[in-house]
Amino acid sequence: MKKYFEQSDMLNDEGLDEMQKTYVYKLAFKCFKFLYWGNMAFAIIPMFFPSVTNKSSFFAIIFLWMMLITNIIYVDFGIKASKVGALNPTFNQYITKPSTIISFIVMFIFYTIFIILKHSEVGIILCIYFEIYIGVMVVSHIALGYIVKKNNKIIENESEE
């Protein structure tokens, strides 16, 4: 049964020539990018409609899980791509800058202070949601900073050989 689904899956590249595989992989990469950014944008909805979030935490929990899973997949992609040195060099330069990591930490501190000061005005559920959202973003990007350092070492070792 499992083999049948693997063979009949649209994402199976079996039977494709090299040109078709290249095209499919480029298309899959674009779809992955769109899915990541689409999910991240969609997960911001409770921040724009706090009245919905404050009436029920159900929506906030769904959006947080979606955003958390999206970031886990994003970091997993970074881990797997860094093992062969296949991460984007521009991203590598951006994410490993000390100013980038410091700005993420400062952003987290800023939003934490904002939440402490404004929680009674905007509602505690929205504040918790916002803090978790920013926290996941900060942690995933700091993790990616360390992952990219591994990627850069692999690229340096390959260039030395």
Side-chain angles (χ1 to χ4, degrees):
M1 187 79 164
K2 182 180 174 188
K3 188 163 176 90
Y4 172 75
F5 288 118
E6 287 176 6
Q7 290 174 345
S8 63
D9 183 18
M10 181 178 68
L11 300 175
N12 185 355
D13 64 358
E14 189 176 320
L16 299 177
D17 63 26
E18 292 303 314
M19 186 180 79
Q20 291 169 325
K21 284 183 182 182
T22 300
Y23 178 77
V24 167
Y25 290 142
K26 285 180 183 178
L27 183 61
F29 186 74
K30 286 179 184 179
C31 289
F32 171 72
K33 244 170 83 168
F34 176 77
L35 184 64
Y36 173 77
W37 289 110
N39 278 348
M40 294 309 294
F42 192 65
I44 293 175
I45 288 174
M47 292 180 207
F48 290 113
F49 301 105
S51 60
V52 173
T53 308
N54 286 333
K55 288 180 185 171
S56 171
S57 60
F58 176 76
F59 294 110
I61 292 169
I62 297 296
F63 286 121
L64 281 174
W65 273 109
M66 184 178 68
M67 192 266 307
L68 180 65
I69 291 167
T70 300
N71 274 287
I72 288 170
I73 293 169
Y74 193 64
V75 170
D76 186 51
F77 174 82
I79 291 168
K80 290 176 180 172
S82 72
K83 288 181 181 178
V84 294
L87 290 175
N88 182 320
T90 306
F91 176 75
N92 295 352
Q93 291 174 349
Y94 162 74
I95 202 74
T96 55
K97 283 184 191 176
S99 61
T100 301
I101 294 172
I102 290 170
S103 65
F104 276 113
I105 293 169
V106 168
M107 181 177 65
F108 183 75
I109 292 170
F110 172 75
Y111 285 120
T112 302
I113 291 169
F114 173 78
I115 286 169
I116 290 169
L117 297 176
K118 300 288 184 177
H119 71 78
S120 61
E121 295 173 29
V122 295
I124 193 68
I125 293 174
L126 182 64
C127 290
I128 292 169
Y129 178 85
F130 202 61
E131 188 72 11
I132 292 171
Y133 183 92
I134 298 299
V136 169
M137 290 295 296
V138 169
V139 168
S140 65
H141 280 78
I142 290 173
L144 285 170
Y146 289 108
I147 291 166
V148 164
K149 288 182 181 184
K150 179 181 177 182
N151 180 73
N152 292 343
K153 286 180 185 177
I154 290 171
I155 291 172
E156 287 174 15
N157 290 340
E158 288 176 355
S159 63
E160 289 175 4
E161 293 174 4

mmCIF file of all heavy atoms in Angstrom, residues 126-149:
data_model
loop_
_atom_site.group_PDB
_atom_site.id
_atom_site.type_symbol
_atom_site.label_atom_id
_atom_site.label_comp_id
_atom_site.label_asym_id
_atom_site.label_seq_id
_atom_site.Cartn_x
_atom_site.Cartn_y
_atom_site.Cartn_z
ATOM 1 N N LEU A 126 -3.797 37.832 23.569
ATOM 2 C CA LEU A 126 -3.060 38.393 22.442
ATOM 3 C C LEU A 126 -1.607 38.641 22.815
ATOM 4 O O LEU A 126 -0.705 38.390 22.020
ATOM 5 C CB LEU A 126 -3.706 39.688 21.958
ATOM 6 C CG LEU A 126 -3.030 40.337 20.753
ATOM 7 C CD1 LEU A 126 -3.144 39.429 19.533
ATOM 8 C CD2 LEU A 126 -3.630 41.688 20.464
ATOM 9 N N CYS A 127 -1.358 39.101 24.018
ATOM 10 C CA CYS A 127 0.015 39.339 24.467
ATOM 11 C C CYS A 127 0.818 38.051 24.525
ATOM 12 O O CYS A 127 1.970 38.006 24.081
ATOM 13 C CB CYS A 127 0.012 40.023 25.831
ATOM 14 S SG CYS A 127 -0.560 41.715 25.766
ATOM 15 N N ILE A 128 0.217 37.008 25.050
ATOM 16 C CA ILE A 128 0.900 35.708 25.101
ATOM 17 C C ILE A 128 1.163 35.209 23.687
ATOM 18 O O ILE A 128 2.265 34.740 23.380
ATOM 19 C CB ILE A 128 0.069 34.692 25.914
ATOM 20 C CG1 ILE A 128 0.038 35.090 27.381
ATOM 21 C CG2 ILE A 128 0.620 33.280 25.740
ATOM 22 C CD1 ILE A 128 -0.960 34.313 28.215
ATOM 23 N N TYR A 129 0.168 35.332 22.819
ATOM 24 C CA TYR A 129 0.319 34.918 21.426
ATOM 25 C C TYR A 129 1.475 35.671 20.773
ATOM 26 O O TYR A 129 2.337 35.082 20.135
ATOM 27 C CB TYR A 129 -0.976 35.178 20.648
ATOM 28 C CG TYR A 129 -0.869 34.821 19.190
ATOM 29 C CD1 TYR A 129 -1.098 33.522 18.769
ATOM 30 C CD2 TYR A 129 -0.512 35.767 18.243
ATOM 31 C CE1 TYR A 129 -0.981 33.180 17.436
ATOM 32 C CE2 TYR A 129 -0.386 35.431 16.914
ATOM 33 C CZ TYR A 129 -0.627 34.137 16.508
ATOM 34 O OH TYR A 129 -0.494 33.799 15.194
ATOM 35 N N PHE A 130 1.473 36.980 20.940
ATOM 36 C CA PHE A 130 2.486 37.832 20.333
ATOM 37 C C PHE A 130 3.874 37.467 20.843
ATOM 38 O O PHE A 130 4.834 37.391 20.075
ATOM 39 C CB PHE A 130 2.145 39.290 20.658
ATOM 40 C CG PHE A 130 2.740 40.285 19.722
ATOM 41 C CD1 PHE A 130 2.427 40.267 18.374
ATOM 42 C CD2 PHE A 130 3.596 41.260 20.198
ATOM 43 C CE1 PHE A 130 2.963 41.198 17.516
ATOM 44 C CE2 PHE A 130 4.135 42.194 19.344
ATOM 45 C CZ PHE A 130 3.819 42.165 17.995
ATOM 46 N N GLU A 131 3.997 37.226 22.134
ATOM 47 C CA GLU A 131 5.294 36.880 22.727
ATOM 48 C C GLU A 131 5.791 35.537 22.204
ATOM 49 O O GLU A 131 6.970 35.381 21.881
ATOM 50 C CB GLU A 131 5.169 36.851 24.255
ATOM 51 C CG GLU A 131 6.473 36.693 24.970
ATOM 52 C CD GLU A 131 7.347 37.930 24.920
ATOM 53 O OE1 GLU A 131 6.885 39.008 24.505
ATOM 54 O OE2 GLU A 131 8.521 37.811 25.309
ATOM 55 N N ILE A 132 4.909 34.560 22.110
ATOM 56 C CA ILE A 132 5.308 33.253 21.578
ATOM 57 C C ILE A 132 5.698 33.375 20.115
ATOM 58 O O ILE A 132 6.703 32.811 19.684
ATOM 59 C CB ILE A 132 4.177 32.212 21.773
ATOM 60 C CG1 ILE A 132 3.992 31.914 23.258
ATOM 61 C CG2 ILE A 132 4.487 30.928 21.011
ATOM 62 C CD1 ILE A 132 2.769 31.073 23.580
ATOM 63 N N TYR A 133 4.922 34.133 19.342
ATOM 64 C CA TYR A 133 5.220 34.334 17.921
ATOM 65 C C TYR A 133 6.619 34.927 17.744
ATOM 66 O O TYR A 133 7.446 34.405 16.993
ATOM 67 C CB TYR A 133 4.166 35.259 17.300
ATOM 68 C CG TYR A 133 4.320 35.477 15.821
ATOM 69 C CD1 TYR A 133 3.651 34.661 14.921
ATOM 70 C CD2 TYR A 133 5.122 36.491 15.307
ATOM 71 C CE1 TYR A 133 3.776 34.842 13.559
ATOM 72 C CE2 TYR A 133 5.262 36.680 13.948
ATOM 73 C CZ TYR A 133 4.581 35.862 13.077
ATOM 74 O OH TYR A 133 4.716 36.039 11.732
ATOM 75 N N ILE A 134 6.892 36.008 18.440
ATOM 76 C CA ILE A 134 8.201 36.660 18.341
ATOM 77 C C ILE A 134 9.290 35.732 18.880
ATOM 78 O O ILE A 134 10.374 35.639 18.314
ATOM 79 C CB ILE A 134 8.198 38.016 19.098
ATOM 80 C CG1 ILE A 134 7.187 38.971 18.475
ATOM 81 C CG2 ILE A 134 9.587 38.632 19.131
ATOM 82 C CD1 ILE A 134 7.449 39.332 17.029
ATOM 83 N N GLY A 135 9.005 35.030 19.976
ATOM 84 C CA GLY A 135 9.992 34.110 20.553
ATOM 85 C C GLY A 135 10.392 33.004 19.595
ATOM 86 O O GLY A 135 11.575 32.690 19.452
ATOM 87 N N VAL A 136 9.408 32.420 18.920
ATOM 88 C CA VAL A 136 9.707 31.363 17.944
ATOM 89 C C VAL A 136 10.541 31.922 16.793
ATOM 90 O O VAL A 136 11.499 31.292 16.336
ATOM 91 C CB VAL A 136 8.409 30.694 17.430
ATOM 92 C CG1 VAL A 136 8.678 29.805 16.237
ATOM 93 C CG2 VAL A 136 7.757 29.902 18.543
ATOM 94 N N MET A 137 10.192 33.114 16.328
ATOM 95 C CA MET A 137 10.955 33.743 15.246
ATOM 96 C C MET A 137 12.403 33.977 15.675
ATOM 97 O O MET A 137 13.338 33.689 14.929
ATOM 98 C CB MET A 137 10.315 35.069 14.831
ATOM 99 C CG MET A 137 9.001 34.920 14.128
ATOM 100 S SD MET A 137 9.143 34.097 12.542
ATOM 101 C CE MET A 137 10.130 35.269 11.651
ATOM 102 N N VAL A 138 12.593 34.504 16.870
ATOM 103 C CA VAL A 138 13.938 34.797 17.364
ATOM 104 C C VAL A 138 14.743 33.508 17.522
ATOM 105 O O VAL A 138 15.883 33.416 17.053
ATOM 106 C CB VAL A 138 13.862 35.582 18.698
ATOM 107 C CG1 VAL A 138 15.219 35.661 19.368
ATOM 108 C CG2 VAL A 138 13.303 36.967 18.458
ATOM 109 N N VAL A 139 14.166 32.513 18.149
ATOM 110 C CA VAL A 139 14.878 31.250 18.371
ATOM 111 C C VAL A 139 15.234 30.580 17.045
ATOM 112 O O VAL A 139 16.358 30.105 16.859
ATOM 113 C CB VAL A 139 14.045 30.298 19.263
ATOM 114 C CG1 VAL A 139 14.616 28.900 19.271
ATOM 115 C CG2 VAL A 139 13.957 30.850 20.667
ATOM 116 N N SER A 140 14.296 30.558 16.102
ATOM 117 C CA SER A 140 14.591 29.903 14.828
ATOM 118 C C SER A 140 15.678 30.642 14.060
ATOM 119 O O SER A 140 16.544 30.011 13.450
ATOM 120 C CB SER A 140 13.323 29.749 13.977
ATOM 121 O OG SER A 140 12.814 30.996 13.589
ATOM 122 N N HIS A 141 15.690 31.962 14.112
ATOM 123 C CA HIS A 141 16.719 32.704 13.381
ATOM 124 C C HIS A 141 18.086 32.639 14.075
ATOM 125 O O HIS A 141 19.112 32.618 13.405
ATOM 126 C CB HIS A 141 16.277 34.144 13.137
ATOM 127 C CG HIS A 141 15.336 34.247 11.988
ATOM 128 N ND1 HIS A 141 14.012 33.912 12.083
ATOM 129 C CD2 HIS A 141 15.543 34.589 10.699
ATOM 130 C CE1 HIS A 141 13.438 34.073 10.912
ATOM 131 N NE2 HIS A 141 14.342 34.477 10.058
ATOM 132 N N ILE A 142 18.103 32.602 15.377
ATOM 133 C CA ILE A 142 19.378 32.405 16.076
ATOM 134 C C ILE A 142 19.909 31.007 15.793
ATOM 135 O O ILE A 142 21.102 30.817 15.544
ATOM 136 C CB ILE A 142 19.230 32.679 17.587
ATOM 137 C CG1 ILE A 142 19.023 34.183 17.811
ATOM 138 C CG2 ILE A 142 20.439 32.177 18.360
ATOM 139 C CD1 ILE A 142 18.710 34.571 19.234
ATOM 140 N N ALA A 143 19.022 30.014 15.795
ATOM 141 C CA ALA A 143 19.439 28.646 15.446
ATOM 142 C C ALA A 143 19.988 28.609 14.023
ATOM 143 O O ALA A 143 21.007 27.960 13.764
ATOM 144 C CB ALA A 143 18.263 27.684 15.588
ATOM 145 N N LEU A 144 19.329 29.311 13.112
ATOM 146 C CA LEU A 144 19.820 29.357 11.737
ATOM 147 C C LEU A 144 21.182 30.037 11.648
ATOM 148 O O LEU A 144 22.007 29.670 10.804
ATOM 149 C CB LEU A 144 18.815 30.075 10.835
ATOM 150 C CG LEU A 144 17.573 29.270 10.495
ATOM 151 C CD1 LEU A 144 16.534 30.146 9.814
ATOM 152 C CD2 LEU A 144 17.920 28.080 9.611
ATOM 153 N N GLY A 145 21.445 30.990 12.511
ATOM 154 C CA GLY A 145 22.765 31.623 12.551
ATOM 155 C C GLY A 145 23.852 30.603 12.853
ATOM 156 O O GLY A 145 24.914 30.593 12.218
ATOM 157 N N TYR A 146 23.600 29.717 13.810
ATOM 158 C CA TYR A 146 24.575 28.678 14.135
ATOM 159 C C TYR A 146 24.656 27.619 13.033
ATOM 160 O O TYR A 146 25.723 27.095 12.735
ATOM 161 C CB TYR A 146 24.236 28.030 15.483
ATOM 162 C CG TYR A 146 24.493 28.956 16.632
ATOM 163 C CD1 TYR A 146 23.453 29.524 17.339
ATOM 164 C CD2 TYR A 146 25.793 29.294 17.011
ATOM 165 C CE1 TYR A 146 23.686 30.401 18.392
ATOM 166 C CE2 TYR A 146 26.042 30.162 18.054
ATOM 167 C CZ TYR A 146 24.987 30.712 18.740
ATOM 168 O OH TYR A 146 25.230 31.579 19.771
ATOM 169 N N ILE A 147 23.545 27.320 12.429
ATOM 170 C CA ILE A 147 23.518 26.348 11.329
ATOM 171 C C ILE A 147 24.319 26.866 10.149
ATOM 172 O O ILE A 147 25.074 26.119 9.513
ATOM 173 C CB ILE A 147 22.059 26.043 10.924
ATOM 174 C CG1 ILE A 147 21.364 25.254 12.037
ATOM 175 C CG2 ILE A 147 21.988 25.305 9.607
ATOM 176 C CD1 ILE A 147 19.859 25.192 11.904
ATOM 177 N N VAL A 148 24.188 28.149 9.860
ATOM 178 C CA VAL A 148 24.905 28.743 8.733
ATOM 179 C C VAL A 148 26.412 28.727 8.984
ATOM 180 O O VAL A 148 27.194 28.566 8.049
ATOM 181 C CB VAL A 148 24.381 30.172 8.458
ATOM 182 C CG1 VAL A 148 25.313 30.956 7.582
ATOM 183 C CG2 VAL A 148 23.002 30.092 7.829
ATOM 184 N N LYS A 149 26.830 28.870 10.228
ATOM 185 C CA LYS A 149 28.263 28.787 10.532
ATOM 186 C C LYS A 149 28.811 27.416 10.142
ATOM 187 O O LYS A 149 29.915 27.305 9.607
ATOM 188 C CB LYS A 149 28.524 29.090 12.003
ATOM 189 C CG LYS A 149 28.331 30.561 12.324
ATOM 190 C CD LYS A 149 28.638 30.865 13.762
ATOM 191 C CE LYS A 149 28.401 32.343 14.015
ATOM 192 N NZ LYS A 149 28.765 32.744 15.356
#
